[in-house]
Amino acid sequence: QVQLVESGGGLVQAGGSLRLSCAASGSFFSLYTMSWHRLAPGHQRELVAAITTDGGTNYGDFVKGRFTISRDNAKKTVYLQMNSLEPEDTAVYYCNGGRDLDSYWGQGTQVTVSS
């Protein structure tokens, strides 16, 4: 049983920054690929960023250097640092952890960027 809890969302003006956190329960956090996805009204869920067990990262094309994903295995937490936010970034951001055939999702945290 793995639980993921996101936090750090909120309202921010365009050009501002937010740091999202995803705290995980359970064991074997360091063996999970962690990722952030987002879902906006009228849009499909899309990958924002992912980080593998060995620290490799992958970002959605829209990120364009603005976001950074990181993980702290000791704290069992994954972060998403978001800079230069745009109104188009407004969405619910979800944390995901995957290992083998297992996939876990958090409840999401709302990010709203005003113009």
Side-chain angles (χ1 to χ4, degrees), residues 17-93:
S17 299
L18 284 174
R19 190 181 76 158
L20 307 184
S21 299
C22 173
S25 67
S27 303
F28 309 115
F29 174 83
S30 63
L31 302 181
Y32 284 75
T33 293
M34 303 300 298
S35 59
W36 289 94
H37 304 247
R38 70 185 189 184
L39 180 63
H43 294 73
Q44 293 187 354
R45 186 184 66 191
E46 59 185 347
L47 173 70
V48 179
I51 184 167
T52 62
T53 57
D54 61 355
T57 58
N58 185 48
Y59 296 93
D61 291 338
F62 60 86
V63 171
K64 299 179 180 178
R66 300 178 299 128
F67 301 170
T68 302
I69 188 172
S70 62
R71 65 192 298 163
D72 187 333
N73 289 340
K75 295 182 178 179
K76 297 182 179 180
T77 303
V78 62
Y79 305 95
L80 182 67
Q81 178 67 48
M82 303 188 294
N83 301 321
S84 302
L85 284 163
E86 304 167 352
E88 293 75 18
D89 296 317
T90 296
V92 178
Y93 285 70

